[in-house]
Amino acid sequence: MAAEGGGKEMNEIKTQFTTREGVYKLLTHSEYSRPNRVPFNSQGSNPVKVSFVNVNDQSGNGDRICFNVGRELYFYIYKGVRKAADLSKPIDKRIYKGTQPTCHDFNPITATAESVSLLVGFSAGQVQLIDPIKKETSKLFNEERLIDKSRVTCVRWVPGSESLFLVAHSSGSMYLYNVENTCGTTAPHYQLLKQGENYAVHTCKSKSARNPLLRWTVGEGALNEFAFSPDGKFLACASQDGFLRVFGFDAAELHGTMKSYFGGLLCVCWSPDGRYIVAGGEDDLVTVWSFSDCRVIARGHGHKSWVSVVAFDHCTTSVEDGDPPAEFSGSDEEFHEQIHFGAGRDRANSAHSRLSKRNSTDSRPVSVTYRFGSVGQDTQMCLWDLTEDILFPHLPLSRTRTHTNVMSATSPPATGQTTTTTTTTTTTTTTTTTAAVSAANPSGTNGKDNVSNSSTSGNPANSLPSTLPRSNSLPHSSNPTGGSTPNSHTGSNSSTTATSTPTTTTTTTKGNSIIDSAFIATGVSKFATLSLHDSRKERHEKDHKRNHSMGHISSKSSDKLNQLSSTRTAKAEAAKTLGTALCPRMEDVPLLEPLVCKKIAHERLTVLIFLEDCLVTACQEGFVCTWARPGKVGLLSSQNNPANSPSGTVV
C-alpha cells in the first residue's frame, strides 16, 4: 500500500504497518541504543550501522548485535522479539578518541559463544580486529595510515574465509587483507595485475607476505558500498561516480555495469538467489538490475531523498508453482545452491524450501515474488515487491500483487535497438552500439503505449532483454513521475562482458590464486592509473537538492556542475549514456511503486536488516528498532505486553 502523503499525517511516526502477510509492529521495549537512551547529536558524525552474528549459544539466545553511535561502539545480546532489551548490561562498550567507527562486520564462520571476530573500520582509515566477548583487541590494520588515509566506507569478511577480508575507502580503493599478515612499516609498492574500463587491480610487491594482498581502484570518487553475491563469487560495487560495477571476484573480471539516473550510488544488495541486484543512491530511486541479462529491469520511486540502504527480505521472497520461464536457466541443483547461499546474515532461511521447490512437471508459469526494502534520508522505509510481470514481461501479465506501474513494463527501448544483450558482448561494444543506436533513434518514439503491443514494436523475438535499453538517463523532461524524486536507476551495473571467473573451492585458494597469478605479470612494474578516458562517469554533484523536481535538474543543477572541474566532460558523457543500456530512460523500464512507504523516524535512516522473525532499522539518533513480523509479537513475554499495542498510528 502506497503511503498517502501530505496532510496532518506528514510528520507522524508510524509504529506499525500492514502488508499482505499481516501487520508489522514496532516493539518499543526491544529498542537498542546508548544506555541512557538519550538521542545522539548526529551532526557531523558517521552513520549509525548495525551488525548481527549468531554464536550458536546452547541457551537458544545466540544472537549478538553490534552498533556504533558517534565515537562509541556497543555489543549486546540481541533478544529480538523474545524479551525486552536490557541496555544496562552491554557485553562490550568502547569509546574511541581521535577517530570514529564507520562500519563493522562479524565473521559468521569463526563465531562461538566464547569468541567472535569483529572487524571495525574507522573514519581515519584504520581497521581494527577485536573480540568483544574476550574483550581483546587482536590487531590494528593500516595503523600508520600508509595504505590509505581516507575514511573506511565498507568492510566485509570474504565469504567462506576465516582470514581474508575486504575494505573499501572513500578514496575509491578497495584492499584485500589477510589477518595473519602484517601491514609493514613502509608504504606498499604495487604491481599491476589487471586493468579494465575504469578499474585496475594491483598486487603488493614485497619479499615477505604483507598486507594488503591486493588493491582495487574502482571508478572515480568514493566507493560507498560493496556486497558479495550469495555464492561469494561476484562482487557488486556502488560508487560515488554513479556506477554499479559487478566483478568476478577471483579473476577480477568486470561482469557488468550500470549507471544511476544521476548522482552517486550509496548502497547495493543481492537477491537471495543471486539473480538480481538492487542499488540506491542520490537519485532517490531504487534500481533493479538483472545479473544474467546485465540490464536494468525496473526502478522504484517512493523516497523523497537519498536512499541509504537497500536489502532483500529472504523470508518473504518466494518461487512457487510451475517451471520458471526461460530466464530461469540453470539446473535445479544450481538454483537450490544459489538460494542456499542467500540466507542473509547467518539466519535460518524459511524461504529456502519455498525457493527451491519447483515442480518440473507443471507447465504453468512460475509465480515469483521478491521482496526488498529500502530506507533513506527522508526518514521513510519502503517495501517493494518484484513480481513475475516485471521479471518476465513477455509472459501474459499476471494479476498484479504489487502497486506496479506497468505503464511501460514491456515497452521496448525507445532506441529500437536490435543488439540483443548476450552475455558474451563486451561492455565497450554494448555501450557503443546502444549509444549509437539511441542517437539514431531518439527516445520517446516508442511512447508509453507499448505495453500491450511490445511484440510489434520492432524487437519481435527479443522483447525482453533488448526492450529495456541500458542507458544513463539524465533528467528527462517527460518524466512520468513528475515528482521530486527523479526516476533513477540507482544501482546496478548493466554491462554485458563475459564472465570467465573460475570457481575455487576455498577462499584461501582465492587469495593465493590471485597473488600467484599476479607475479606472472612480472614485466609490469608501473603504478597503474585509471584510464584517462574515464568517460561515462559523471562527477558527483555535491549540491544535490533533496526535493528537486526532475525538470529543474538539467537546467539549474547543470549550472552548478559547470563550476566543477570536469563538468563539461561529465555532461557530455552523461548525455551519451542517456537512453543506453547503462541507464535507460524512465519510460523504458517498469516503474515500481512501494508496497509500503512509512515515516518511521525523526532522523535519517541508516540501517535496514531483515531477520527471520523481525526486521531491524536504525536512525542517526542512535536508536535501533525491532519490528516484529506478523504473528511474531506473541513471542514476547508478558511483561512486555505494551509492545503489543503501540500507541502510534496505523495506516
Side-chain angles (χ1 to χ4, degrees):
M1 307 158 212
E4 318 249 336
K8 61 183 179 182
E9 298 178 355
M10 199 59 145
N11 293 315
E12 289 187 24
I13 304 296
K14 301 298 184 287
T15 56
Q16 62 187 66
F17 56 87
T18 305
T19 65
R20 68 172 186 275
E21 307 93 59
V23 180
Y24 289 74
K25 296 185 179 181
L26 175 65
L27 304 181
T28 53
H29 290 267
S30 295
E31 180 181 84
Y32 288 78
S33 66
R34 297 192 297 170
N36 52 16
R37 289 191 186 273
V38 174
F40 172 66
N41 180 6
S42 60
Q43 293 303 111
S45 66
N46 290 288
V48 173
K49 299 287 187 182
V50 172
S51 296
F52 284 99
V53 70
N54 190 292
V55 299
N56 300 313
D57 192 350
Q58 296 301 319
S59 67
N61 192 20
D63 294 326
R64 303 291 182 266
I65 183 174
C66 170
F67 57 92
N68 61 289
V69 183
R71 298 184 297 115
E72 302 165 10
L73 188 74
Y74 293 94
F75 181 72
Y76 282 97
I77 294 176
Y78 180 70
K79 300 177 181 177
V81 300
R82 295 180 298 276
K83 293 182 180 178
D86 183 0
L87 299 182
S88 64
K89 298 177 181 177
I91 300 176
D92 195 13
K93 172 188 175 180
R94 296 172 186 242
I95 301 177
Y96 295 94
K97 296 180 180 178
T99 185
Q100 293 185 359
T102 58
C103 50
H104 31 84
D105 190 43
F106 287 106
N107 191 329
I109 296 179
T110 60
T112 66
E114 294 78 35
S115 172
V116 294
S117 296
L118 176 66
L119 289 170
V120 185
F122 290 91
S123 55
Q126 303 94 335
V127 178
Q128 191 179 36
L129 175 63
I130 61 177
D131 188 332
I133 296 180
K134 291 182 176 178
K135 307 285 196 303
E136 291 178 357
T137 301
S138 304
K139 285 190 177 181
L140 187 58
F141 301 93
N142 192 28
E143 181 176 6
E144 303 298 327
R145 304 172 69 212
L146 297 172
I147 297 172
D148 200 306
K149 292 182 169 58
S150 63
R151 178 174 56 94
V152 175
T153 55
C154 187
V155 59
R156 292 276 185 273
W157 290 96
V158 173
S161 175
E162 296 184 5
S163 58
L164 297 179
F165 62 93
L166 194 61
V167 181
H169 289 258
S170 58
S171 62
S173 295
M174 284 189 300
Y175 302 90
L176 181 66
Y177 288 82
N178 186 324
V179 294
E180 307 299 332
N181 295 352
T182 64
C183 290
T185 55
T186 59
H189 295 280
Y190 296 101
Q191 178 173 344
L192 181 66
L193 170 63
K194 181 161 292 191
Q195 191 165 14
E197 187 175 7
N198 291 317
Y199 82 96
V201 182
H202 294 80
T203 58
C204 184
K205 292 174 61 178
S206 176
K207 292 180 180 178
S208 58
R210 67 162 286 180
N211 284 318
L213 305 179
L214 290 178
R215 183 188 72 170
W216 295 61
T217 311
V218 181
E220 292 180 354
L223 202 163
N224 290 321
E225 189 176 37
F226 64 82
F228 283 99
S229 61
D231 60 8
K233 296 176 183 176
F234 292 89
L235 183 70
C237 302
S239 298
Q240 192 58 49
D241 61 8
F243 279 87
L244 168 75
R245 296 175 179 88
V246 181
F247 297 95
F249 184 60
D250 288 339
E253 294 279 359
L254 183 64
H255 168 77
T257 314
M258 180 197 80
K259 174 70 173 62
S260 69
Y261 204 74
F262 66 85
L265 286 179
L266 305 177
C267 51
V268 62
C269 68
W270 292 78
S271 64
D273 56 7
R275 295 176 185 273
Y276 302 98
I277 296 174
V278 171
E282 296 176 357
D283 51 11
D284 306 350
L285 300 172
V286 293
T287 304
V288 185
W289 189 77
S290 167
F291 176 79
S292 58
D293 294 338
C294 290
R295 64 180 180 89
V296 177
I297 60 169
R299 290 193 180 105
H301 175 213
H303 288 284
K304 299 180 178 66
S305 186
W306 297 357
V307 179
S308 49
V309 183
V310 286
F312 272 87
D313 182 355
H314 52 277
C315 294
T316 313
T317 296
S318 62
V319 179
E320 301 165 353
D321 299 333
D323 267 343
E327 282 67 23
F328 268 114
S329 56
S331 65
D332 288 2
E333 291 77 19
E334 290 170 338
F335 186 86
H336 182 73
E337 182 184 8
Q338 286 178 333
I339 299 305
H340 175 69
F341 281 109
R345 301 288 164 186
D346 31 52
R347 301 310 181 101
N349 183 345
S350 61
H352 283 175
S353 56
R354 295 199 304 275
L355 277 165
S356 55
K357 281 181 186 172
R358 301 195 305 161
N359 184 351
S360 57
T361 61
D362 194 327
S363 60
R364 290 175 297 167
V366 67
S367 173
V368 188
T369 302
Y370 291 89
R371 167 70 56 79
F372 65 94
S374 58
V375 295
Q377 299 197 8
D378 56 359
T379 71
Q380 293 192 128
M381 174 174 62
C382 294
L383 296 182
W384 315 80
D385 270 1
L386 191 61
T387 51
E388 66 268 24
D389 47 1
I390 300 299
L391 301 173
F392 317 116
H394 64 292
L395 296 177
L397 288 180
S398 62
R399 51 198 175 85
T400 309
R401 285 191 295 271
T402 55
H403 295 219
T404 305
N405 182 350
V406 211
M407 156 185 86
S408 54
T410 57
S411 67
T415 60
Q417 60 193 14
T418 55
T419 55
T420 59
T421 58
T422 60
T423 53
T424 53
T425 11
T426 64
T427 311
T428 314
T429 307
T430 307
T431 309
T432 309
T433 312
T434 50
V437 178
S438 63
N441 301 284
S443 67
T445 53
N446 276 343
K448 299 178 183 177
D449 45 11
N450 286 326
V451 179
S452 55
N453 58 0
S454 62
S455 59
T456 62
S457 58
N459 288 342
N462 303 318
S463 59
L464 178 61
S466 59
T467 48
L468 306 177
R470 305 177 188 179
S471 51
N472 290 337
S473 337
L474 283 182
H476 188 36
S477 56
S478 62
N479 171 11
T481 61
S484 58
T485 349
N487 17 1
S488 79
H489 93 268
T490 60
S492 312
N493 295 332
S494 54
S495 83
T496 52
T497 40
T499 59
S500 59
T501 311
T503 59
T504 52
T505 51
T506 65
T507 4
T508 314
T509 350
K510 290 183 184 180
N512 293 338
S513 64
I514 301 176
I515 298 168
D516 294 341
S517 61
F519 292 105
I520 297 176
T522 50
V524 188
S525 57
K526 294 195 291 187
F527 195 87
T529 56
L530 287 180
S531 51
L532 294 178
H533 47 280
D534 282 319
S535 56
R536 305 180 13 219
K537 298 219 166 164
E538 194 177 351
R539 204 81 188 112
H540 167 46
E541 190 222 325
K542 300 198 186 286
D543 298 313
H544 167 69
K545 295 179 183 175
R546 294 203 181 160
N547 291 320
H548 252 336
S549 68
M550 277 316 266
H552 290 108
I553 289 173
S554 52
S555 56
K556 292 184 180 176
S557 297
S558 60
D559 295 338
K560 291 190 169 125
L561 277 170
N562 281 328
Q563 300 168 6
L564 299 173
S565 58
S566 59
T567 306
R568 290 194 180 119
T569 313
K571 287 171 69 179
E573 295 307 331
K576 286 180 186 176
T577 51
L578 173 62
T580 69
L582 282 176
C583 180
R585 296 182 184 275
M586 286 305 287
E587 64 268 27
D588 290 334
V589 293
L591 187 64
L592 306 176
E593 292 183 11
L595 187 71
V596 166
C597 186
K598 303 295 181 193
K599 178 182 173 68
I600 60 169
H602 290 293
E603 270 288 344
R604 63 185 188 272
L605 293 164
T606 57
V607 171
L608 174 63
I609 299 172
F610 290 95
L611 303 179
E612 192 173 3
D613 48 13
C614 60
L615 58 93
V616 175
T617 61
C619 68
Q620 195 53 28
E621 285 182 314
F623 297 118
V624 181
C625 298
T626 297
W627 301 75
R629 290 184 185 270
K632 300 292 185 181
V633 181
L635 297 176
L636 280 168
S637 52
S638 56
Q639 68 264 28
N640 296 333
N641 280 339
N644 288 329
S645 54
S647 57
T649 57
V650 184
V651 180

